[in-house]
Every structure is written in structure tokens, then in C-alpha cells.
């Protein structure tokens, strides 16, 4: 029995997903639900991936090394021409926030599912993004007004804002290119090191300074825009991090009052409106609980790994809405239409061994049991018998739970983690179970440095137990 499609694509008949893993699967599903033909790029290592199996067409783009496939704009544009794509969705990572790539897509006459290349360039440069935020009246962490010209200038700025200070790569992202100086002598050493790291990692040696907030919360606001109108979809708490990489996210944040939430989210929409933002985007903030103040730090001009928790508390499919906006539709929601309900938590399940300094654990999946039941969602690229390639990020799956309250969601998450079985590789699932036993995490009393301190204590106890045995 057939039914009339609920959506008829206008400009985007075929979308090429220029990515891999769970996010490629996620985008393929959304595109197919909208009646769009979904194509996906595949490296030689991904020809038998779940995304390749699910897509309407899989287009080979090169060898397993990302530089010769997923980071190769020429190969991706050739793939788009080969499959007759009208649009390219970059997912996250790889070329998703590369303004030059977005510009090449636009020049080729294709639709880039995301903001324009000019907005990516503006907001991708953290120093420029800070200046834009200030123009919009959005608070920023006290620091330099732009890229530093010299060590003398850095000393002057640090003396004005006070130590400790963070040295951050202007073109950085994902927690990379960051160093902390606690005094002038350390600044003299760390600044040139940070500049060399920034040049090596991002091809841009520019750095800037910010005040270091030792017990900060990392909170981000999800926005959707169509180039004219912008709405927010509330916030996510992302403070549980290892080496500045998020591993556990929840929505809403357990640390905000309703008044702070309203002020934070309003500032995010104001900034996104200032730049005429289009598509899904995320504005990231540091929240200083001791002062009750929040500061804008950067904008991610793409879909985020942790977007499912926002979808859970709002009921809005962010990937599908981004595709509709790319197809030429105006924003379908007013701010008052978006209502927050319940609580959602996401755990990132990585192919890593937490007891061996998170050593990568690629291999063949010989057992796979996903948790189920009300309020449980799995975003993954795994299937039984799949062999995880050793060339890419170790993310295997995202376990997302939703319930009427945070305590209920924590209980559901604990049950779901115990129900999940991934055989053949080491994963971080047991680490998440251990985290749920921590009283501070359960109470929502944590900050960006909490997890590493907790893990150090845990490892010390494990070491003592091994010695006693």
C-alpha cells in the first residue's frame, strides 16, 4: 500500500552526503524520508559500510586515508557530478566547516546544506566571531580583541585580564590548539608553542587570549535559521569532557535557572540573526557558576554530534529541517512554537579501551545487542559482522535516552547501558556505567575539568586493586 509523500522536494532531488559513519547514516535516513535521493561518498575502507548499504547510490572517492578521500574537495565535487547531486551535505568534521570547500560547492552551482561560505569564514575564525558577538551585544570571555601581533601584546592583554589565561588558535576547533599560561614566564614559553601547533593543525598560526575559567560549565545553544528568521531550540550541557572532547551531553542543562536560560538563548538568537544565519548551528558558551555569568566562545556552523538530545526535548528533527531549508523552504517555526519537555542524555560509545589510556580498538563486531524500549534511541553505523576500519574517528554509536525528568532519564540510561552488548572490540560503555555511579555527576554538579579528575582517581584505585591482587 502506498501513501502520498508528506514532502515534495523542490530544488534538492539528490543530496550527496560527503561524510561517513553514524552521521552519514543519520542524514541518509532524513533525506529519504523527505523523498530525496540519497547518495554517499565512500573511501576504499568504507565500501561495505552501513551508509553505503543504505544509500540509493554509493560513490567511491579514493583511498582509506582521509586526505585522499573525505578531505579531497575535487573528489567530492566529481562524485556530486557523477551521481547528479543537487546538494552536498557535509555532516560534521572533515570539510563541514571549511569555507573554501563551501565556496567551491557554491561556485559549482550546487547547494551547500549549511550556511554560506562567507558566514562559515566569519564564524569559523574565532577572533572574528568574538568581534561579531560584541557587535551584537553578546558577552564574551575577557581577552584580546583579535589575533595577537606579538608577545609584547600578549603580555599586555594578560596583564589587563589577569592570569591564568588561555591561548587559543583563531582557526581552531574540537578542543585543539589550546594552551594555558598561569604566569608571565609560562606565557613566554606557551605562546610560540601554541602558534606552531596552530600552524601545523589548521594552516593558520593566529592565536588570541582569553581569561581561563577554572571551573566553567560548557553550555551550547542550538539555533535554526533560514537567512532571515532565527529560532533557538534551548541549550545542551556538554561539560563532561576528556582532553576537551565531549563524551556525555544532556539537555536541558542542570545548572541554569529559567531566567539564565532565557537570557542565554536570547543572546544566541541575537548573534545568529546578526549574521543572517541559515541552517542548523550551535553557539558555544562558558558558564561561570560562581559569578552566574555566561560568555560566548565560538560558533559551530554545522550539525553537532550531540544534536539528538535537542531533538528529544523539542520533538524537532534538526537534520530534516536543515534539508528543508536548503531546499528553499522558510523556517517553519516561530519561537513560541518550540516547547521544551522532559530531559535527554547522550553517551558517546567509542571503540577505545578506557583502562589502557583510551587506546583505539578497531576490529570485527561479533556480537551486537542494542537496548530498546520507550525513550531509547541509537544512532550508529554498526551491524553484526562489520569490521571497524582503523583510519577514522573511534565513534561507534550514540546512545540517547529521554524521559520525563533528569532522574528518570539517568535511570533509563543506566538500564540501557547494561542492556547494550558490543562484542569483538573494547568500548567506552563500561566507563559510562561507572560515571553514572558518581554522586556529583548524578546530581549535576560537574564542570569541564571534573571528568579528568574523576578518571585520575578511578585509575589510581584500579591500580591499587591490581597491586593488591
Amino acid at each position: 500500500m502506498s501513501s502520498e509523500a508528506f514532502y515534495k522536494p523542490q530544488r534538492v532531488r539528490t543530496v550527496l552526503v560527503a561524510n561517513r559513519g553514524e552521521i552519514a547514516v543519520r542524514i541518509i535516513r532524513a533525506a529519504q524520508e523527505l523523498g530525496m535521493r540519497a547518495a554517499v561518498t565512500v573511501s576504499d575502507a568504507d565500501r561495505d559500510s552501513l551508509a553505503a548499504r543504505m544509500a540509493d547510490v554509493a560513490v567511491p572517492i579514493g583511498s582509506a586515508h582521509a586526505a585522499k578521500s573525505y578531505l579531497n574537495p575535487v573528489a567530492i565535487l566529481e562524485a556530486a557530478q557523477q551521481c547528479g547531486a543537487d546538494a552536498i551535505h557535509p555532516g560534521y568534521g572533515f570539510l563541514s566547516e571549511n569555507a573554501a570547500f563551501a565556496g567551491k560547492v557554491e561556485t559549482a552551482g550546487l547547494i551547500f546544506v549549511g550556511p554560506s561560505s562567507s558566514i562559515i569564514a566569519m564564524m569559523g575564525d574565532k577572533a572574528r566571531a568574538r568581534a561579531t558577538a560584541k557587535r551584537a551585544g553578546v558577552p564574551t570571555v575577557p581577552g584580546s580583541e583579535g589575533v595577537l601581533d606579538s608577545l609584547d601584546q600578549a603580555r599586555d592583554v594578560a596583564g589587563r585580564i589577569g592570569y591564568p589565561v588561555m591561548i587559543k588558535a583563531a582557526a581552531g576547533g574540537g578542543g585543539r590548539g589550546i594552551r594555558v599560561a598561569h604566569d608571565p614566564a609560562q606565557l613566554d614559553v606557551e605562546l610560540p608553542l601554541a602558534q606552531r601547533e596552530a600552524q601545523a593543525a589548521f594552516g593558520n598560526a593566529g592565536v588570541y587570549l582569553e581569561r581561563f575559567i577554572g571551573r566553567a560549565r560548557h553550555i551550547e545553544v542550538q539555533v535554526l535559521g533560514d537567512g532571515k528568521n532565527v529560532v533557538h531550540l534551548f541549550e545542551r550541557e556538554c561539560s563532561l569532557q576528556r582532553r576537551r572532547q565531549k563524551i556525555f551531553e544532556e539537555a536541558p542543562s542542570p545548572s541554569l535557572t529559567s531566567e539564565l536560560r532565557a537570557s542565554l538563548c536570547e543572546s544566541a538568537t541575537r548573534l545568529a540573526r546578526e549574521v543572517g544565519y541559515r541552517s542548523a548551528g550551535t553557539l558555544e558558551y562558558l558558564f561561570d557558576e560562581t559569578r552566574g555569568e555566561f560568555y560566548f566562545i565560538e560558533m559551530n556552523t554545522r550539525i553537532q554530534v550531540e544534536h539528538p538530545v535537542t531533538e528529544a526535548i523539542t520533538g524537532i528533527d534538526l537534520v530534516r529541517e536543515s534539508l528543508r531549508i536548503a531546499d528553499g523552504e522558510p523556517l517553519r517555526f516561530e519561537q513560541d512554537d518550540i516547547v521544551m519537555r522532559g530531559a535527554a542524555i547522550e553517551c558517546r560509545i567509542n571503540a577505545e579501551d578506557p583502562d589502557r589510556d583510551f587506546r583505539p580498538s578497531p576490529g570485527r563486531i561479533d556480537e551486537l545487542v542494542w537496548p530498546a524500549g520507550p525513550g531509547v534511541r541509537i544512532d550508529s553505523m554498526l551491524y553484526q559482522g562489520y569490521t571497524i576500519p582503523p583510519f577514522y574517528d573511534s565513534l561507534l554509536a550514540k546512545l540517547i535516552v529521554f524521559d520525563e525528568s533528569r532522574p528518570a532519564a539517568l535511570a533509563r540510561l543506566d538500564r540501557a547501558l547494561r542492556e547494550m552488548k558490543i562484542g569483538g572490540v573494547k568500548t567506552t560503555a563500561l566507563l559510562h556505567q561507572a560515571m553514572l555511579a558518581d554522586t556529583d555527576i548524578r546530581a549535576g554538579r560537574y564542570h569541564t575539568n571534573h571528568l579528568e579528575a574523576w578518571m585520575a582517581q578511578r585509575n589510581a584505585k584500579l591500580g591499587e586493586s591490581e597491586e593488591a591482587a
Side-chain angles (χ1 to χ4, degrees):
M1 187 174 81
S2 64
S3 61
E4 186 177 353
F6 86 101
Y7 184 77
K8 294 182 180 179
Q10 303 301 309
R11 299 189 302 173
V12 182
R13 306 300 174 89
T14 298
V15 58
L16 176 66
V17 183
N19 214 297
R20 65 174 305 280
E22 68 85 17
I23 191 60
V25 171
R26 173 75 180 87
I27 298 165
I28 290 166
R29 285 173 170 153
Q32 291 174 339
E33 288 170 4
L34 289 173
M36 297 174 181
R37 181 169 171 262
V40 67
T41 55
V42 292
S43 71
D44 290 345
D46 283 331
R47 288 175 182 258
D48 199 32
S49 67
L50 183 59
R53 294 181 174 200
M54 289 176 55
D56 296 292
V57 59
V59 187
I61 55 168
S63 69
H65 297 288
K68 297 180 179 180
S69 51
Y70 298 109
L71 289 171
N72 185 342
V74 173
I76 292 169
L77 288 170
E78 287 177 352
Q81 183 178 25
Q82 182 180 334
C83 68
D86 310 293
I88 294 179
H89 197 310
Y92 56 68
F94 295 129
L95 296 172
S96 62
E97 292 181 284
N98 187 303
F101 173 65
K104 291 178 186 295
V105 173
E106 294 162 352
T107 300
L110 301 173
I111 296 167
F112 184 80
V113 183
S116 66
S117 57
S118 60
I119 291 177
I120 294 173
M122 178 192 301
M123 302 310 288
D125 183 310
K126 293 183 182 180
R128 289 179 65 192
R130 279 173 54 91
T132 304
K134 288 186 175 183
R135 286 199 306 272
V138 175
T140 58
V141 181
S144 55
E145 296 302 316
V147 173
L148 296 167
D149 296 323
S150 66
L151 181 57
D152 286 339
Q153 185 189 15
R155 290 173 182 149
D156 290 342
V157 172
R160 173 172 53 81
I161 66 176
Y163 288 92
V165 295
M166 294 183 76
I167 309 163
K168 303 180 75 173
R176 300 171 66 193
I178 297 176
R179 286 178 171 262
V180 178
H182 292 271
D183 53 47
Q186 194 172 10
L187 179 66
D188 291 353
V189 173
E190 297 291 349
L191 185 78
L193 291 174
Q195 290 172 323
R196 287 199 290 272
E197 285 180 357
Q199 179 64 44
F202 309 110
N204 181 342
V207 297
Y208 64 100
L209 291 190
E210 283 183 352
R211 177 191 291 163
F212 177 65
I213 303 170
R215 293 176 62 87
R217 312 275 299 218
H218 186 133
I219 300 176
E220 59 190 32
V221 180
Q222 178 71 58
V223 296
L224 267 178
D226 61 9
K228 295 180 181 178
N229 300 311
V230 176
V231 294
H232 72 77
L233 291 89
F234 302 102
E235 86 285 355
R236 299 184 286 258
E237 172 83 52
C238 306
S239 298
L240 287 172
Q241 304 177 9
R242 173 183 172 268
R243 296 180 180 173
R244 299 192 176 92
Q245 297 292 315
K246 307 165 191 172
I247 68 170
F248 179 107
E249 302 99 355
E250 59 180 305
S253 166
S255 63
L256 295 184
T257 63
S258 57
E259 292 79 11
L260 273 170
R261 174 172 295 110
S263 180
L264 175 71
C265 294
E266 192 279 328
S267 79
T269 53
R270 190 163 68 246
L271 178 50
R273 203 173 288 119
E274 170 78 13
V275 300
Y277 195 79
R278 186 187 72 227
S279 197
T282 301
L283 293 97
E284 302 201 356
Y285 293 81
L286 289 181
F287 176 53
D288 187 340
E289 277 192 290
T290 59
R291 296 171 180 257
E293 297 175 348
F294 57 82
Y295 307 105
F296 168 79
I297 50 173
E298 65 178 306
M299 184 174 192
N300 296 123
T301 54
R302 54 170 169 78
I303 196 72
Q304 292 276 90
V305 179
E306 57 272 20
H307 74 272
V309 292
T310 295
E311 294 179 329
I313 65 166
T314 62
I316 294 173
D317 187 322
L318 289 164
V319 177
R320 213 160 64 181
E321 291 306 316
S322 298
L323 287 167
R324 294 178 79 138
I325 290 167
D327 198 37
E329 274 208 16
L331 198 61
R332 300 193 302 137
F333 310 101
E334 300 289 341
Q335 190 62 62
D336 290 345
D337 298 328
I338 303 171
V339 178
M340 179 175 65
R341 62 188 183 90
I345 305 171
E346 174 182 294
C347 288
R348 302 192 192 191
I349 309 299
N350 291 356
E352 297 171 346
D353 186 350
D355 296 332
R356 297 291 182 272
D357 196 29
F358 292 84
R359 183 182 301 166
S361 180
R364 186 178 185 275
I365 303 300
D366 58 25
E367 181 184 21
L368 188 60
V369 178
W370 291 131
V376 177
R377 166 177 165 181
I378 292 289
D379 281 18
S380 179
M381 45 62 155
L382 294 186
Y383 58 85
Q384 191 156 326
Y386 176 64
T387 298
I388 302 163
F391 309 104
Y392 310 110
D393 183 88
S394 62
L395 181 65
L396 298 181
K398 300 180 312 198
L399 168 60
I400 307 102
V401 299
F402 170 79
D403 215 320
E404 61 188 26
S405 66
R406 186 173 187 270
L410 286 166
R412 179 162 282 171
L413 177 61
D414 184 54
R415 185 271 298 172
L417 282 165
R418 286 185 282 107
E419 193 174 312
M420 181 170 61
K421 291 181 175 60
I422 302 175
V425 298
K426 296 285 188 179
T427 78
T428 54
L430 290 177
L431 173 67
H432 285 293
Q433 289 184 47
M435 286 168 57
L436 290 180
D438 179 70
T439 54
D440 287 326
I441 291 176
R442 293 194 70 86
R445 295 190 301 264
Y446 55 79
H447 50 82
T448 53
N449 298 320
H450 179 94
L451 183 60
E452 291 187 336
W454 175 85
M455 284 177 17
Q457 291 179 345
R458 175 177 177 267
N459 291 341
K461 289 179 182 177
L462 289 174
E464 291 172 2
S465 298
E466 289 176 359
E467 287 179 8

